[in-house]
Amino acid sequence: MRALVFTAPSVVELHEVDEPTARPDEVIVQVAAAGICGSELHGVRTPGFRTPPLVMGHEFAGTTPDGRRVAVNPILSCDCCDLCARGQRQLCRERAIVGVHRPGAFAERVAVPRSSIHELPDGLSWTAAGVIEPIANAVHAWNLAGAPAGVRVGVIGCGAIGLVCLQLAKLRGAATVVAADPSPSRRAQAEALGADAVAERLTGEFDLIFDAVGVPVTHHDSVALLRPGGTALWLGLGSAEAGIDSTELVRAEKRVLGSFAYSDAEFAEAVTLAEGWDTGWVGSFPLDDGARVFTGLMNGGSEPVKALLTP
Ligand SMILES: [Zn+2]
Ligand SMILES: [Zn+2]
């Protein structure tokens, strides 16, 4: 079968690869849509994040051999450690991810555990199914923040994760949402999705700020612009540098919460939410075009915000 393979630093290529084989507790999914994630664009350039050769792709949906349309929760867990027992599979001590630690969905077919599949509602488009995974990330971050209504929300970074955080905040009854991104086209996208204001760099005061970038300056802003007692949700992995004034965490009781992935229940909620989700920021491309699209985004292209490969 054909697959987009990460072969060397900053290189992805279309290759003919072996068909996946499924163990007894696994199923082969015929991939219909697989999103290219910012973590993958970062991961192929930056040593230590992804190890070639690798078929990436962890945001995907497709069809099982018995004809069911499914989305796949790519977080694999041991189901027996203390954190799995608490329902925090995303923090499993043996955590692995489809498309990172085993072959992923930038291919015609992929083997996944039966326990990872979620059936899709009838009529849900493959485009919407392809963004269930990013939506699940936003659901988790919102829940970590305590699911507050009527709050002033700031969103830093209008890539896919920033946009789904913006969309979810509107859906959950935020009073206002201000979104920031250096890219004019991405700011326009945020406005189209209902942002009350957009800016190159965030200003103002907020109860809740999502940092979907994760570099020192965005970390700094996500804390500095909080009201006393406010919460910053960090979803970005741009840099290991903190960049914040840590005394604000003490004097103003500001909180910084890291948010990684989602629980199974949150993934299931995202499957439901995907129906009716505005996906105007998503573009679809054939797998054969994957290397060109991936490389363009990796080299700084800002369009589309989310590219889905449709094998
Ligand atoms: Zn991702
Ligand atoms: Zn575990």
Side-chain angles (χ1 to χ4, degrees):
M1 66 169 183
R2 287 166 305 134
L4 189 67
V5 187
F6 167 37
T7 52
S10 299
V11 181
V12 294
E13 300 168 314
L14 192 71
H15 279 288
E16 195 65 32
V17 302
D18 290 342
E19 286 287 340
T21 50
R23 295 187 324 211
D25 61 338
E26 295 180 346
V27 62
I28 303 285
V29 171
Q30 178 84 32
V31 179
I36 295 174
C37 176
S39 71
E40 292 166 332
L41 302 171
H42 183 68
V44 301
R45 280 175 312 201
T46 316
F49 280 85
R50 300 280 192 286
T51 310
L54 174 68
V55 177
M56 300 182 292
H58 59 267
E59 308 175 356
F60 61 103
T63 310
T64 59
D66 58 1
R68 285 178 297 158
R69 300 167 72 248
V70 298
V72 176
N73 180 340
I75 307 287
L76 308 178
S77 59
C78 72
D79 292 329
C80 52
C81 72
D82 54 332
L83 293 159
C84 283
R86 290 169 188 233
Q88 293 178 297
R89 288 186 54 234
Q90 78 279 12
L91 301 181
C92 172
R93 295 179 191 276
E94 306 290 330
R95 182 178 75 204
I97 303 174
V98 176
V100 180
H101 304 102
R102 57 184 276 166
F106 296 158
E108 293 179 84
R109 283 166 289 283
V110 57
V112 299
R114 285 180 196 281
S115 59
S116 70
I117 63 177
H118 291 250
E119 245 178 276
L120 298 176
D122 286 340
L124 186 72
S125 71
W126 287 124
T127 303
V131 295
I132 286 170
E133 199 270 357
I135 296 171
N137 279 278
V139 171
H140 181 59
W142 187 258
N143 289 343
L144 276 180
V151 289
R152 298 164 298 168
V153 173
V155 174
I156 302 175
C158 296
I161 292 293
L163 291 183
V164 291
C165 287
L166 152 66
Q167 290 177 284
L168 189 71
K170 298 294 289 184
L171 198 64
R172 294 287 193 247
T176 56
V177 183
V178 180
D181 195 287
S183 156
S185 64
R186 291 191 170 195
R187 290 200 297 276
Q189 194 57 254
E191 266 183 320
L193 294 175
D196 297 283
V198 294
E200 259 183 86
R201 187 170 172 183
L202 199 63
T203 55
E205 184 186 89
F206 303 91
D207 303 294
L208 190 59
I209 298 179
F210 295 93
D211 178 2
V213 181
V215 297
V217 64
T218 63
H219 283 158
H220 169 271
D221 288 359
S222 75
V223 173
L225 302 178
L226 290 174
R227 66 157 166 83
T231 303
L233 270 304
W234 287 4
L235 298 98
L237 285 165
S239 164
E241 295 291 319
I244 61 168
D245 175 354
S246 59
T247 65
E248 292 189 61
L249 307 189
V250 179
R251 289 203 182 93
E253 294 191 356
K254 296 180 178 182
R255 297 190 301 160
V256 175
L257 300 177
S259 182
F260 186 88
Y262 29 75
S263 68
D264 259 338
E266 287 160 342
F267 194 92
E269 194 179 350
V271 171
T272 308
L273 287 172
E275 199 132 41
W277 201 266
D278 186 333
T279 55
W281 44 280
V282 181
S284 294
F285 303 88
L287 180 63
D288 291 355
D289 221 7
R292 183 188 65 79
V293 173
F294 192 100
T295 306
L297 291 169
M298 183 179 70
N299 291 335
S302 59
E303 292 296 324
V305 174
K306 174 64 74 184
L308 296 183
L309 301 182
T310 55

